[in-house]
Structure formats: structure tokens, C-alpha cells
Amino acid sequence: MKRRFQRKDFFIIFMIVSGFFMFVAMGNGYWRENAPYKISSVDIKASLDENGFLNVAETSLYELSRNNRTASKRLHLSYPAVLESFNVQVDQMTGVVREVSSSPGGFDVRIFVNEDVGSFTAGTNYRLSGVVENGSDVSVLSYRFWEPNSDAMTRNISLSLELPEQIARAITTESIFLKPYKEAKVTIEGNRVLLSMKSVLSSASAEIMVVFPRSIGNNMSRAINTTISRSSIEKENETSMFQQAFLSGLIGFQIAVPIFVLFFTFVLFGIEPQIKTEIGHRIDSAPGYLLNAIVKNPFQEVDRDGFLATILELHNSGEVKLQDRTILAIAKNNTMPTQQQWAIQAIKSLGSDGKDEVEIPDQEYKGEGIEAFNRHYGFWQKHAMKVVRSGRFYEHLGSTVMSVFSIFFLITWSLILKYLFANWQVYLTFPDETLVLSIVLYADWCLGWFLLMIPKSIFGRWTPSGRLFYMEWKTAEKEILAKQEFSDEDLEKLVALGYLQTLLADRKRLSERQLGLLRTLQRLELLLTRPKE
């Protein structure tokens, strides 16, 4: 039986689509970049002289959008660095530069670009003092080559830092630290430190720290005495390394856990038990609604064919009488099973004044009886499924585990984790890792809603007795269909298994009386299939 597309399915699809926009709105720094231009590359050449001044020449390649004619260049320093002088230039064919503000703490300029200029190169030169700190046990050159609130994100930064000979001879790659810790390529060539870094956001910061003996720093006139120490630098670097390792581990965790849970839930609860059929095990007196729920619609709900089979059983047992367009309820006691009582109540609800004889209305009929009939039919389904579930035909533990896992881990946990990262500045430090994490969390979000929509049979399974019942009745189904003539009991089973229309089309194996009964059931079926208003 094909699974019908239900209102719940539309809701799940809506949550998957809207979840994408929700995750983008709470996304990492990539999706927060809103500058109307890009910085393709930044090439920085810095030189530290023997007095402690740092002279910087920076070349930036800008790419403008069609509607944008301005760009920015900013430098905001932190203590103890001080801006001594600066200059920003572009060629005359590009446009002009206007200073917005400047102070010892930095500068802010605007570049007004001429028409038809899609990209241009800006040259920035500035001189800093206070970049060398004499700490408790070492001297440190601290240069923040990418400042927070820069104009736009860049994918490629290259830095060439030239050092005095006495410093260059005293350092190794272990003397160089980066804030934040990233997988940047750092090499030492002669008296130059070369660095390249990818994916730096506009709101992030990037700083290189070169540790060298304090005796050299004491001879620099522009050095500043502070409390910085090698141990504090190493501790801060270890913290950044831990953050990146944590993010990488979290990504692996978010990928591995769903795979692990899906695999072992299916192995433990979704693989069918291996049994052998036994001749004579089949229960010939199994009610039609049970065959309908177990054999025709395994792991689903009893449907209208089960109801029609119940009415036919009541007719064959003399509790009701089917007569063309009317049904006469003969039963007067309450000793019959509850689901049969609800079936009779559903039939009686089509009439008025509690009459036992009811005329089946046309499908187009509109009245209070139809609404009451549908309501009682729902009660009948509910009680029929209680009996089905109490029979221990299925094990739904795997499906329950998947539902709980989908709601609390894949959906709720992904949403909470994404919200935390959206409000945590770590995305500025590690944009690549948080972008991957965003993608993984959204994939988990979608997987969670998808698992709520899949059939229960995937992670559920038959019990041994349920599997045996199903296999025996599937065999019985073939045996009944192979008969030349059908008995009244055969019709009960075939209607329950969904063969009503097939029987009406193949009249050779039916008597006129049986054909009349099936036509009456067909009229009832039309009432159950009419669209709800």
C-alpha cells in the first residue's frame, strides 16, 4: 500500500525549507558579510627597525559591485601601539581618497571610485610605534595585521615581516605565535618572517607575535614596558588551539552520532526475526479488521476495507442484514466485541430517531448523518487499533528511539547549538570550521524531520508471532484467490485485504446474492471516500 501524503508531511517539508533560512539568519560570519565590495587579496610588507618602529606598506585588491562607487580603509589600533603617520593612495584613473578621521589610535578613509571601474588597487603606508613590548622575561613584537571592523572579508592575506639581524638570529618558528591560532603557513627566510592566511572576516582580527630575548628589546627606544610573559602567550595560544580542536571534534561528533544511532537502531530493532512457517498455525477465524491492519497495511492503520469486512462479518453472523440500499441492525445485546458495537453505531448514525433500518445515502448527500457517521467510524478505527496493538504483532521500540532521537538531538540540539554559535564570537576566529558546522547542523536538522516522516516499518519490526501470522495469511490470500468459487467467509477475508473492486469486476466466481452484498458495501465505501468539507 502506498503511503498517502498527509498534512504532517507538508508541515515537515515546510520546516525543512524554513529551517534553511533560519540557519542562514543565525549563520556564521560568511553570511554576515554585507560589504558591497570584496577584497580579493591583501599583500603586506612590514619592516621593524632597530628603534622599534614598524613601517608597513600594504597593497589591497578591491572588487566592486556594479552599483557601488565607494570603498573604505580603516585601521584601529589597540594599546600600546600608536599610529605615527599614514597615507592611502589610488591612481588617478581610479578615483580620489578622502580622510574621515585620524588619531594616534588609527584612521578611517573613504575611496570614491570613478565610473566603469570594476576593480582597483589601493596602497596604504603607515608607521607604528609601541609594537615592541618588554615583558617580565621576554620581549614581544605584536603586530595586528588585520583589524576588527575592516572594510570587507578577504580570502587571501600574505605578510612579509622584516626583522633586525639580531632578532632574526635569535628566533625559530616556535618563537612565532598567531592570534587566533589558525592553520596559517609560517616560514622564516633570512631575516624575514613569511605568513599566508586564508578566510579572514571583516569583524575578525589577526595578529602575529614574535618572541625574542629581552636583552634585545631593552635597546629599542620605542619599546614599551608591560607585564607580558612567554607563559601567558603560550597559554592564550593553547586556548585557541583547543577551540579549533573542539570545533573540529564537534563537527565529527555531529556527523558520527546520527550515523552510529541510525545503524545500530536498524540492526537492533529493524531486522526482521527469522522464522519458519508451520502448517495449521493460521487462525481461520481472524477478524477482518485484524487482517486489514496486519496483512494489508502492516505497521500502519486499519482502513475502510477493515470496516467493510466487519460489516460483512456482522451480516454473515446475523447481527445485521444488508439489503441493496438499506442495512438492518438486528443485534440488541452488548456482548459482541467493542469494535463491532462501534461499527453498528456508525451504521445507525446514518439514520434518524435511532431506527434499526438505515438507508445508505448517495455520496453527494449532505446532512448531519454523514458527519455523525464519520465520527463513529473514527471511534471504530480507534478501538480496532487498540486490539491490533495489544496483540503484540509489532515491535515499535526502534521507531520510538528514532522519533526521540530526531526530536531531541537532530532537531532541538541542532537548533540550540546553532543559536549558541550565532551568539558566540568564535565564528570570527574560525570561519571555515563554523561554516562546515553550519552545513552539518542543517543536514542534521533536515534528517531529523525526514526521520519523522518515514514509515514506522523501517526501524520497527515484526514479533516472531506477528511475522508468522503475516506469512501464513499471505499464503492463505493466494489460496483463496485461486479458488473457482468464493464462500461467504472468503469474501470477508478478501474485502478486508482490499479486493472489493476486484471482486465486483470479476463476477464469474460470485453468486447473485454475494454480488448484491458487495454492491451494498460499495455504497458504504463511497461515503467513506467522499472528501471532507
Side-chain angles (χ1 to χ4, degrees):
M1 179 180 177
K2 294 183 178 179
R3 188 177 184 276
R4 291 184 296 175
F5 210 63
Q6 302 175 356
R7 184 178 302 176
K8 181 185 73 172
D9 301 332
F10 284 104
F11 173 76
I12 290 175
I13 293 174
F14 171 78
M15 290 304 298
I16 291 175
V17 175
S18 61
F20 172 77
F21 298 99
M22 180 170 54
F23 271 65
V24 168
M26 293 165 47
N28 73 325
Y30 283 120
W31 296 319
R32 296 187 180 188
E33 295 297 322
N34 55 7
Y37 52 86
K38 299 178 181 179
I39 303 178
S40 299
S41 63
V42 179
D43 182 32
I44 305 171
K45 298 186 185 302
S47 176
L48 180 70
D49 64 21
E50 294 182 353
N51 293 320
F53 286 103
L54 185 67
N55 299 291
V56 180
E58 180 179 312
T59 303
S60 303
L61 178 59
Y62 288 77
E63 293 185 6
L64 299 176
S65 63
R66 179 176 300 177
N67 299 324
N68 180 59
R69 296 292 95 198
T70 63
S72 302
K73 180 60 185 176
R74 302 183 182 91
L75 178 67
H76 297 155
L77 302 176
S78 59
Y79 178 85
V82 175
L83 177 66
E84 299 289 339
S85 62
F86 77 96
N87 182 39
V88 179
Q89 291 181 334
V90 296
D91 60 54
Q92 293 182 351
M93 300 297 293
T94 298
V96 295
V97 178
R98 294 285 186 267
E99 178 182 322
V100 177
S101 62
S102 64
S103 69
F107 63 83
D108 185 355
V109 302
R110 295 288 188 274
I111 303 171
F112 295 90
V113 184
N114 297 328
E115 294 291 335
D116 300 327
V117 176
S119 62
F120 68 92
T121 300
T124 305
N125 298 278
Y126 54 90
R127 181 183 175 110
L128 304 178
S129 63
V131 294
V132 176
E133 301 178 53
N134 292 326
S136 59
D137 55 352
V138 291
S139 292
V140 181
L141 165 63
S142 300
Y143 172 44
R144 183 179 290 178
F145 55 88
W146 187 261
E147 294 288 334
N149 301 315
S150 297
D151 29 18
M153 172 185 177
T154 182
R155 276 289 194 177
N156 188 5
I157 295 180
S158 60
L159 169 66
S160 174
L161 177 60
E162 185 176 351
L163 302 172
E165 288 291 338
Q166 63 269 31
I167 296 179
R169 290 195 300 266
I171 65 171
T172 64
T173 53
E174 295 181 354
S175 305
I176 301 172
F177 298 89
L178 293 178
K179 293 171 57 180
Y181 172 78
K182 289 180 69 70
E183 295 178 356
K185 183 179 180 181
V186 179
T187 58
I188 299 176
E189 294 184 2
N191 65 335
R192 293 186 304 160
V193 175
L194 304 179
L195 177 148
S196 61
M197 184 175 289
K198 306 288 185 180
S199 303
V200 183
L201 303 179
S202 63
S203 299
S205 64
E207 182 176 1
I208 186 171
M209 305 179 73
V210 181
V211 178
F212 53 93
R214 196 177 192 281
S215 58
I216 300 176
N218 288 334
N219 296 324
M220 293 184 173
S221 60
R222 307 301 296 186
I224 305 296
N225 293 324
T226 64
T227 59
I228 194 170
S229 64
R230 186 181 184 94
S231 61
S232 64
I233 297 173
E234 291 177 344
K235 183 177 181 179
E236 188 172 358
N237 189 66
E238 290 174 357
T239 301
S240 294
M241 293 175 66
F242 171 78
Q243 287 179 341
Q244 188 182 42
F246 174 77
L247 276 178
S248 300
L250 187 59
I251 292 171
F253 177 80
Q254 290 295 127
I255 295 174
V257 169
I259 295 175
F260 177 86
V261 174
L262 288 172
F263 175 76
F264 281 97
T265 300
F266 180 77
V267 170
L268 294 176
F269 306 112
I271 298 179
E272 300 293 349
Q274 299 298 317
I275 62 170
K276 294 182 179 179
T277 59
E278 299 178 5
I279 298 176
H281 179 273
R282 184 170 67 246
I283 305 175
D284 291 330
S285 60
Y289 74 91
L290 195 61
L291 295 182
N292 178 260
I294 304 302
V295 181
K296 184 194 175 197
N297 306 314
F299 295 91
Q300 299 182 62
E301 300 290 326
V302 60
D303 62 16
R304 61 180 180 272
D305 290 325
F307 179 78
L308 298 177
T310 300
I311 300 299
L312 188 56
E313 289 170 357
L314 289 170
H315 171 84
N316 293 336
S317 64
E319 305 293 341
V320 300
K321 187 175 182 180
L322 304 180
Q323 297 175 330
D324 193 22
R325 298 184 62 90
T326 62
I327 301 178
L328 176 62
I330 303 174
K332 298 295 184 181
N333 59 74
N334 295 325
T335 59
M336 66 179 65
T338 304
Q339 58 86 21
Q340 289 189 354
Q341 294 181 36
W342 277 114
I344 293 177
Q345 289 299 319
I347 296 299
K348 286 185 175 181
S349 65
L350 287 171
S352 59
D353 300 329
K355 293 182 179 180
D356 293 335
E357 186 173 5
V358 176
E359 182 177 355
I360 303 175
D362 295 329
Q363 188 180 22
E364 295 78 13
Y365 174 77
K366 296 180 180 179
E368 297 181 359
I370 297 297
E371 183 179 349
F373 174 70
N374 288 326
R375 184 171 62 252
H376 283 85
Y377 170 70
F379 292 146
W380 172 86
Q381 279 187 311
K382 182 186 298 184
H383 285 279
M385 286 308 301
K386 282 184 179 180
V387 179
V388 174
R389 295 189 182 101
S390 66
R392 296 292 299 166
F393 294 98
Y394 313 124
E395 290 182 359
H396 288 297
L397 182 58
S399 180
T400 303
V401 170
M402 273 298 99
S403 296
V404 174
F405 176 71
S406 299
I407 294 173
F408 287 98
F409 182 84
L410 295 178
I411 297 176
T412 307
W413 169 249
S414 295
L415 186 61
I416 292 174
L417 197 61
K418 187 59 182 173
Y419 177 80
L420 293 177
F421 273 90
N423 293 275
W424 188 25
Q425 296 300 304
V426 70
Y427 71 85
L428 297 175
T429 305
F430 307 106
D432 290 331
E433 287 80 359
T434 50
L435 176 63
V436 174
L437 182 61
S438 298
I439 296 172
V440 172
L441 289 177
Y442 177 65
D444 285 350
W445 169 273
C446 294
L447 179 61
W449 288 109
F450 174 75
L451 289 176
L452 293 177
M453 189 170 57
I454 62 174
K456 294 182 179 180
S457 58
I458 293 180
F459 291 99
R461 65 180 177 186
W462 297 99
T463 61
S465 59
R467 180 65 176 170
L468 185 59
F469 183 92
Y470 175 81
M471 293 175 64
E472 290 291 343
W473 275 105
K474 289 301 288 185
T475 301
E477 180 182 357
K478 296 178 182 179
E479 295 175 356
I480 295 173
L481 290 173
K483 292 183 178 181
Q484 296 298 318
E485 294 182 356
F486 297 132
S487 65
D488 291 346
E489 289 74 17
D490 292 335
L491 292 186
E492 295 174 6
K493 306 301 183 289
L494 292 177
V495 169
L497 295 173
Y499 288 99
L500 175 60
Q501 298 302 324
T502 303
L503 293 171
L504 288 170
D506 182 14
R507 306 176 183 180
K508 296 180 179 180
R509 292 182 284 180
L510 299 174
S511 66
E512 287 298 325
R513 180 183 60 83
Q514 291 174 329
L515 188 59
L517 294 176
L518 296 181
R519 285 172 177 167
T520 303
L521 293 179
Q522 186 182 35
R523 292 189 179 93
L524 268 181
E525 183 184 34
L526 292 176
L527 294 181
L528 294 171
T529 56
R530 62 181 289 170
K532 295 182 180 180
E533 298 179 357

